[in-house]
Amino acid sequence: MRKNFARLAMFAMAFMLVLSACGGAPTTAPAAEEPAAEAPAAEQPSQEETLKACFIYVGPIGDIGWTNAHDVGRRYVDDKYDWLETAYAESVPEADSERFIDRFVVEEKCHVVFTTSFGFMDATLAAAQKYPDNYFFHVSGYKRAPNMGTVMADFYQLYYLNGLMAGALTKSGKVGYVAAHPIPELVRHIDAFALGVREANPEATVEVNWIFAWYDPAKAREAAEALIANGVDVLAFTEDTATVVQVAEEYTAKGQPVYSFGHYSPMAQFGPNSLVSGQLVDWGILYEDILTKIHLGVYTTKNLETVDYWGLLSGGMNLGAPVSVHLGGDFDTPINPAFESQLKAVKINDPILGEISIYDLIFKRIEQMKDPAVLFDPFTGPINDQSGALKIQPGQRLTVFELNTIDWFVEGVIGKAKP
Amino acid sequence: MLEFILAAVRAAIPAGTPLLYGTLGEVYAERSGVLNLGVEGMMIMGAVSGFAVAQTTGSAGLGILAAAIVGGLLALIHAFASITLRVNQVVSGLALTMLGLGISGMIGKKFVGQPLAARLQPIHIPGLSDLPILGELLFKFDIMVYLGILLVPALWFVLYKTRIGVTLRSVGENPSAADALGVNVAFVRYAAVAFGGMMAGIGGAYLSISYAPAWIEGMTAGAGWIVVALTIFAIWDPRRALLGAYLFGGVRVLQFRLQPLGVSPNLLNMLPFILTILVLWLSSGQAAKRRIGAPAALMTAYSREER
């Protein structure tokens, strides 16, 4: 009797193990609307018929940042065009992306695959070489192939503008930055932010705290509180939660003002009294541009080697690309009105513009960055690195490739670019 | 420097609180002779159910209550397997951990990314909270932190100074003798394991309702395993559990505080686990002295027939 019980128990344990393994696999479930029953997908892909675009996300679509913004873009194009169907996989581990791409191409018959994390870069390139008749677009990387283009809506100009505000608002002269992973995108953002901070306040420093996670509210909170404990009174961040904004609002509410900048999604609601501005993105119009061009035959699997969407305030490097990035903590609110007077009161002396308030300078810079005749760039020399050595010669600018592979911090940043 | 230490201590206490609850519960479970390696699974289930209930009802208290119930029920699975069926406690506990991690990911799906509306707020203690330095350091936490601290002397007292405690310890040391004296061994063990599960559930809920406050898949991130190690570190004594929990909370917090000083964050990421191994190593040496060793009947199922 006892033995039977034990056997039964072992069986139950094994069952539990299997069950938990199934539950633990991070959400391979494609979109609910994925129409498994539609037959044409099984046939030869054809430009005239339905185009299927599949998205591989690094985080959950319910985050308040990066992945959610991509999914908003996906839903926008999916709703707008009848000839388009989409599917997605969320929370895909970077090491597992190859398997997911294979599944999308082979089983789901996706014609176009978008991979939306820097860590997916090499797997996407390998897949592009493996499936030469499919289209691949990698977001935030720099490697391309005849059938693989790159896309980015880059925030470095916005971070620079946010930096100007942070430099003007800090009282302690210490600004903090909660950063997810040490990759070129973040280094570029931190540098641009620091360039803005130092333009408004040459003595100020930007202290960086790496949390090694894209989505971990507890770590983001610990990092933000550690920075505040070090005397930081303005916080910016690149990771996918609204935690930093919430922490700043908590401190502000209890009488120790800490200001913050939203990232990726409208976060004004989390920090009505402390959120100054932020960076916003509209992926939908970039995806729309790419997918309609594939649909119309402008893009083929032979000519993507030079297609690099580099979404900036000017519309970016791809001429005629739509503007996908916006300044603000909420759409249509570039700067929280509560901070307007403070930003107008701080004045600096610009070698070209003369005495100008930070508030006016911000809008002047936006104009200059949008104007194709000026194309102001924050990464224009002379710029020193952390050790004080001249890194960018006077008048020289970083190329897109240099910006995409940047791995050093500018003067004034405290922390390691390669921790 | 003083300010740095004060700020770190101030941050270490809430960081150690989930560990404290988990460890206090596991101390009781193991005192009864049942090792439960399912702490991680019970904590994460507590985190997800606590968050779900707090978010839907708008009450943090109900969330914590729900987490305690869920943790307790999960522990009963382990209790049934290890006490009634007398299967290997290690296997059953591991299964519970994996089960919890899996199910929590599944049911937590729709709560990912939601900021919690009903977060636990710090309580203001008139007089004490207004003290200079000390007020800021010790009297600006939410209710669960204080409750955790108050549980330490209470659970210590029960364990060493009351009949219940003697019964519990005797079951863990020598179940046959306890049985001969008329103690219902199975009942005592069931109760202790269920209590352990409830405490682990509360610990998890503290993470999602007060600390983060948010739900993320896998958010306990090994806290349950640290609890298992802390139980040994504490030598099955609630008082040392308090010390250990705050110490480990401090290590976690230091990851972010030492980074600006140039200490590699990768190294700091490893610290809690290096410390865990160190603790296990050191305490195994102590256990060898027998005097303060593990409950003698730990990990052995009790059956009257085999007496």
Side-chain angles (χ1 to χ4, degrees):
Chain A
M1 190 62 194
R2 280 281 175 210
K3 264 186 183 158
N4 278 345
F5 256 136
R7 218 171 281 158
L8 187 72
M10 288 310 287
F11 182 76
M13 288 306 151
F15 178 72
M16 272 193 243
L17 279 171
V18 171
L19 190 72
S20 70
C22 294
T27 59
T28 53
E33 67 261 40
E34 182 207 332
E38 269 179 43
E43 288 163 17
Q44 197 67 11
S46 155
Q47 303 305 304
E48 285 72 31
E49 289 169 16
T50 306
L51 187 72
K52 184 161 181 182
C54 300
F55 295 75
I56 294 184
Y57 300 142
V58 69
I61 55 169
D63 69 8
I64 313 166
W66 175 263
T67 297
N68 179 56
H70 282 281
D71 202 56
V72 169
R74 179 191 66 82
R75 290 203 303 269
Y76 166 77
V77 285
D78 191 79
D79 289 347
K80 194 161 175 183
Y81 296 103
D82 293 336
W83 46 262
L84 183 72
E85 61 175 80
T86 64
Y88 68 89
E90 56 181 324
S91 299
V92 173
E94 296 188 337
D96 255 3
S97 52
E98 211 162 332
R99 206 161 50 77
F100 280 82
I101 298 172
D102 281 346
R103 198 174 65 87
F104 268 158
V105 172
V106 178
E107 287 172 35
E108 307 272 333
K109 310 289 180 212
C110 304
H111 306 127
V112 189
V113 176
F114 291 95
T115 52
T116 66
S117 176
F118 181 79
F120 295 154
M121 180 164 68
D122 291 326
T124 311
L125 185 65
Q129 283 155 355
K130 197 162 149 193
Y131 306 109
D133 296 330
N134 288 76
Y135 301 84
F136 294 89
F137 280 89
H138 178 238
V139 178
S140 78
Y142 52 84
K143 292 185 182 168
R144 280 180 294 280
N147 60 336
M148 173 182 168
T150 46
V151 195
M152 187 63 189
D154 200 81
F155 283 162
Y156 80 87
Q157 295 173 323
L158 302 178
Y159 271 108
Y160 160 74
L161 297 169
N162 287 168
L164 287 173
M165 300 178 214
L169 291 173
T170 177
K171 295 203 167 56
S172 64
K174 285 179 170 181
V175 176
Y177 201 112
V178 176
H181 287 283
I183 59 170
E185 181 195 339
L186 271 85
V187 174
R188 179 168 71 241
H189 291 170
I190 294 164
D191 280 345
F193 183 71
L195 288 172
V197 168
R198 304 264 288 187
E199 185 170 339
N201 183 348
E203 302 301 316
T205 55
V206 176
E207 209 167 290
V208 178
N209 221 332
W210 300 106
I211 61 171
F212 294 92
W214 285 116
Y215 186 83
D216 190 334
K219 283 189 174 171
R221 169 171 297 270
E222 278 153 17
E225 291 191 338
L227 287 166
I228 294 170
N230 271 4
V232 157
D233 61 356
V234 183
L235 286 168
F237 64 96
T238 309
E239 41 94 25
D240 296 340
T241 74
T243 310
V244 172
V245 178
Q246 289 172 303
V247 171
E249 184 73 11
E250 282 165 25
Y251 275 81
T252 304
K254 69 179 187 188
Q256 181 188 345
V258 175
Y259 305 129
S260 70
F261 296 90
H263 178 61
Y264 245 89
S265 295
M267 293 186 176
Q269 47 171 327
F270 300 114
N273 307 306
S274 57
L275 186 91
V276 184
S277 180
Q279 319 96 39
L280 296 166
V281 72
D282 180 357
W283 286 106
I285 56 174
L286 283 181
Y287 287 146
E288 181 177 19
D289 197 70
I290 293 168
L291 291 167
T292 48
K293 280 178 178 162
I294 291 176
H295 184 63
L296 296 171
V298 178
Y299 291 157
T300 68
T301 50
K302 303 278 178 284
N303 69 2
L304 295 185
E305 187 102 49
T306 55
V307 174
D308 176 24
Y309 283 82
W310 176 245
L312 297 172
L313 286 169
S314 59
M317 304 300 286
N318 242 38
L319 285 179
V323 177
S324 54
V325 295
H326 304 278
L327 180 71
D330 215 339
F331 284 104
D332 305 321
T333 317
I335 297 175
N336 184 344
F339 294 94
E340 235 178 80
S341 59
Q342 270 177 280
L343 292 172
K344 279 178 175 159
V346 180
K347 291 191 166 65
I348 62 158
N349 252 313
D350 185 82
I352 298 163
L353 301 168
E355 195 187 65
I356 185 166
S357 78
I358 292 295
Y359 188 85
D360 292 336
L361 181 66
I362 287 162
F363 289 98
K364 186 76 192 165
R365 289 291 191 231
I366 294 177
E367 205 178 288
Q368 289 178 325
M369 289 192 272
K370 283 187 171 171
D371 186 349
V374 184
L375 286 183
F376 171 85
D377 196 298
F379 285 98
T380 306
I383 292 174
N384 293 345
D385 69 7
Q386 275 177 305
S387 68
L390 188 65
K391 195 84 178 186
I392 306 176
Q393 299 297 324
Q396 192 200 335
R397 288 177 178 200
L398 289 188
T399 63
V400 172
F401 181 78
E402 282 168 326
L403 284 173
N404 260 332
T405 51
I406 191 165
D407 62 354
W408 52 274
F409 279 150
V410 299
E411 201 167 19
V413 179
I414 301 173
K416 286 187 185 145
K418 285 178 267 188
Chain B
M1 191 60 204
L2 182 70
E3 216 162 278
F4 176 87
I5 293 170
L6 287 179
V9 171
R10 163 108 190 64
I13 291 175
T17 295
L19 301 177
L20 177 61
Y21 278 99
T23 309
L24 288 176
E26 184 70 3
V27 163
Y28 264 54
E30 293 192 14
R31 276 288 183 180
S32 82
V34 182
L35 173 76
N36 189 351
L37 293 184
V39 182
E40 177 85 358
M42 300 185 297
M43 281 184 90
I44 193 101
M45 285 297 288
V48 73
S49 51
F51 186 87
V53 170
Q55 186 75 316
T56 355
T57 62
S59 157
L62 280 180
I64 286 166
L65 190 68
I69 294 170
V70 168
L73 287 176
L74 273 172
L76 286 179
I77 298 179
H78 177 65
F80 179 70
S82 61
I83 301 168
T84 305
L85 300 182
R86 297 190 290 134
V87 300
N88 186 320
Q89 295 181 2
V90 172
V91 177
S92 154
L94 284 175
L96 197 59
T97 284
M98 284 182 260
L99 181 73
L101 286 172
I103 293 183
S104 63
M106 211 159 64
I107 61 180
K109 196 118 208 67
K110 66 178 188 140
F111 294 103
V112 170
Q114 294 183 10
L116 183 68
R119 190 186 183 201
L120 275 182
Q121 293 300 326
I123 49 173
H124 189 89
I125 308 167
L128 291 178
S129 297
D130 305 321
L131 289 174
I133 304 181
L134 265 187
E136 187 58 44
L137 185 64
L138 295 177
F139 301 107
K140 287 269 171 76
F141 298 115
D142 56 52
I143 183 89
M144 294 308 288
V145 170
Y146 300 118
L147 193 63
I149 295 173
L150 290 178
L151 273 173
V152 172
L155 289 177
W156 174 82
F157 184 80
V158 169
L159 193 60
Y160 290 102
K161 304 286 175 200
T162 67
R163 203 182 166 79
I164 302 173
V166 174
T167 310
L168 181 70
R169 282 184 292 139
S170 67
V171 164
E173 294 292 342
N174 191 341
S176 328
D179 193 10
L181 289 172
V183 173
N184 184 340
V185 173
F187 173 78
V188 171
R189 287 188 167 183
Y190 261 94
V193 171
F195 175 74
M198 290 169 74
M199 294 289 277
I202 295 172
Y206 185 79
L207 272 178
S208 65
I209 293 180
S210 169
Y211 196 66
W215 160 251
I216 334 154
E217 202 178 319
M219 72 183 297
T220 46
W225 296 112
I226 293 180
V227 162
V228 173
L230 271 177
T231 306
I232 302 168
F233 174 81
I235 327 181
W236 299 271
D237 181 338
R239 290 171 304 179
R240 287 190 45 150
L242 181 79
L243 177 79
Y246 288 165
L247 184 70
F248 274 67
V251 168
R252 184 181 159 96
V253 164
L254 278 183
Q255 277 179 38
F256 301 97
R257 311 227 162 202
L258 291 181
Q259 212 183 106
L261 307 177
V263 184
S264 158
N266 303 68
L267 177 78
L268 293 166
N269 254 331
M270 288 189 286
L271 261 184
F273 303 98
I274 292 179
L275 198 59
T276 303
I277 294 171
L278 211 66
V279 161
L280 289 177
W281 178 49
L282 290 178
S283 50
S284 74
Q286 284 181 328
K289 290 181 194 161
R290 281 307 293 165
R291 210 165 54 85
I292 42 170
L298 186 62
M299 289 181 67
T300 27
Y302 174 68
S303 143
R304 197 173 265 178
E305 294 102 276
E306 288 164 17
R307 196 143 47 126

